[in-house]
């Protein structure tokens, strides 16, 4: 499976290289729709389970907006790669002459190449037991590997880096990594006991982002952020401020946020400023709690 994963990454890189090469060759923006179509075709061929399978499925709420969102992401990715190629060509003062079909063909060939590596609809069996779909496993591994590589520059920053610069790094990564995938990559890095403070701060910023709250609903992302903040008053205060803003903007995030008892325990071991911020968050949490059968708010969750 390791070899297949590497080949899949190679095919993916080949597809990305097409618009980059087109930009380097000085082609006009008219080639962008062609690459966008190829990128969408990749998603359809390699990840068919992500798409509605029948006409009725397309009529379900969220089906068309979801497809439109994928199209927008692929278009943005193509534009970024194409613009990057033009920028490299401009800086180097080099515009290689090539036929238009060369970069377009390279991107398109990535699809049959990847399809030869694995069958996204096949469920292989081992030892008589059904395994998870290999395509989902390979794609998931490739996504996680890409996310880890793309967050490495953030991990290499000095621990003293400011919050604004960390937020800028996260914003720069957002066109390439989904909110959930970026959060998962940061969470994996922060699991280490010696995780630097700037990575813990990045996890707090990401976990309390409204887009992550929607994409990771039910995964208690803010709870993991509170755990990452433990032992550092500045991080606890940042978490309390960010989580309070999240709850005010999206009350549906209440179920994923730390319960009142957990916030009180954190406040008990924190300095005065962080403790007050956590108690204010606990009070907000209590006010927003869903009503029980008696019409009273639920004070905490287990």
């Amino acid at each position: 499976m390791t070899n297949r994963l590497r080949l899949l990454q190679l095919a993916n890189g080949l597809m990305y290289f097409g618009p980059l090469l087109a930009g380097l060759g000085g082609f006009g923006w008219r080639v962008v729709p062609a690459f966008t179509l190829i990128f969408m075709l990749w998603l359809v061929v390699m990840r068919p389970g992500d798409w509605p399978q029948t006409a009725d499925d397309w009529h379900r709420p969220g089906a068309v907006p979801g497809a439109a969102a994928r199209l927008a992401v692929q278009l943005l990715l193509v534009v970024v790669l194409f613009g990057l190629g033009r920028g490299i060509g401009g800086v180097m003062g080099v515009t290689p002459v090539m036929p238009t079909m060369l970069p377009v063909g390279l991107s398109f060939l990535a699809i049959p190449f990847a399809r030869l590596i694995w069958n996204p609809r096949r469920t292989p069996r081992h030892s008589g037991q059904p395994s998870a779909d290999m395509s989902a496993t390979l794609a998931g591994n490739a996504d996680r590997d890409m996310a880890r590589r793309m967050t490495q520059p953030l991990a290499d920053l000095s621990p003293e880096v400011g919050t604004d610069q960390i937020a800028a790094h996260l914003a720069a990564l957002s066109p390439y990594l989904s909110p959930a995938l970026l959060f998962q990559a940061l969470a994996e890095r922060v699991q280490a006991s010696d995780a630097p403070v700037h990575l813990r701060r990045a996890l707090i910023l990401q976990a309390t982002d409204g887009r992550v709250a929607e994409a990771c609903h039910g995964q208690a992302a803010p709870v993991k952020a509170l755990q990452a903040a433990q032992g550092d008053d500045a991080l606890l205060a940042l978490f309390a401020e960010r989580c309070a803003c999240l709850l005010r903007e999206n009350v549906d995030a209440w179920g994923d946020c730390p319960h009142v008892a957990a916030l009180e325990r954190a406040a008990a071991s924190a300095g005065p400023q962080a403790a007050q911020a956590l108690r204010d968050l606990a009070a907000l949490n209590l006010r927003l709690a869903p009503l029980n059968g008696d019409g009273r708010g639920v004070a905490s969750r287990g």
Side-chain angles (χ1 to χ4, degrees):
M1 181 173 289
T2 300
N3 290 334
R4 289 193 177 188
L5 174 59
R6 290 173 178 171
L7 288 173
L8 178 62
Q9 292 172 337
L10 176 62
N12 206 14
L14 183 64
M15 184 177 66
Y16 291 162
F17 184 66
L20 186 69
L21 183 61
L24 185 63
F27 294 121
W29 291 94
R30 66 183 183 279
V31 300
V32 168
F35 285 112
T36 304
L37 180 61
I38 292 172
F39 278 42
M40 286 295 290
L41 184 60
W42 167 282
L43 294 180
V44 173
V45 172
M46 306 309 295
R47 307 189 69 168
D50 293 347
W51 297 87
Q53 302 298 306
T54 66
D56 290 339
D57 291 341
W58 281 103
H59 290 90
R60 292 178 180 175
V64 174
R70 290 189 182 97
L71 176 61
V73 170
Q74 299 310 307
L75 174 60
L76 179 60
L77 180 57
V78 169
V79 169
V80 169
L81 291 169
F82 184 75
L84 181 61
R86 298 194 71 167
I88 293 174
V91 170
M92 298 179 61
V94 175
T95 305
V97 178
M98 67 186 79
T100 304
M101 289 307 298
L102 176 59
V104 174
L106 285 176
S107 284
F108 181 79
L109 285 176
I111 299 175
F113 178 41
R115 184 60 178 77
L116 287 173
I117 298 170
W118 48 265
N119 184 347
R121 294 188 180 276
R122 186 181 62 192
T123 303
R125 296 176 179 268
H126 299 280
S127 303
Q129 296 295 330
S131 71
D133 182 74
M134 183 175 290
S135 65
T137 301
L138 287 172
N141 289 341
D143 287 344
R144 287 191 295 271
D145 182 67
M146 180 181 68
R148 182 164 186 83
R149 285 187 282 109
M150 294 190 71
T151 54
Q152 187 61 50
L154 176 60
D156 291 338
L157 292 176
S158 167
E160 290 77 27
V161 66
T163 301
D164 290 343
Q165 188 172 349
I166 294 174
H169 270 262
L170 296 176
L173 289 170
S174 62
Y176 308 100
L177 300 175
S178 69
L181 189 58
L182 179 52
F183 167 73
Q184 292 166 2
L186 293 173
E188 289 177 0
R189 288 184 176 277
V190 171
Q191 283 179 356
S193 59
D194 59 344
V197 65
H198 74 284
L199 274 183
R200 294 158 64 192
R201 187 179 295 117
L203 177 66
I204 292 170
L205 295 180
Q206 186 69 6
T208 54
D209 185 276
R211 295 169 298 173
V212 177
E214 295 180 1
C216 298
H217 184 67
Q219 299 182 31
V223 173
K224 296 178 181 178
L226 175 60
Q227 294 169 350
Q230 296 288 354
D232 189 303
D233 283 357
L235 293 181
L236 286 170
L238 174 64
F239 166 77
E241 176 187 354
R242 293 274 304 183
C243 192
C245 291
L246 173 64
L247 284 172
R248 293 189 186 101
E249 294 174 358
N250 182 7
V251 70
D252 291 337
W254 183 89
D256 281 338
C257 290
H259 54 65
V260 172
L263 293 171
E264 292 290 354
R265 286 196 299 269
S269 60
Q273 184 176 356
Q276 185 58 54
L278 288 167
R279 292 192 179 100
D280 290 343
L281 175 59
L284 175 63
N285 183 299
L286 186 58
R287 289 198 304 272
L288 297 178
L291 297 178
N292 62 20
D294 298 327
R296 295 171 297 181
V298 178
S300 66
R301 301 177 297 291

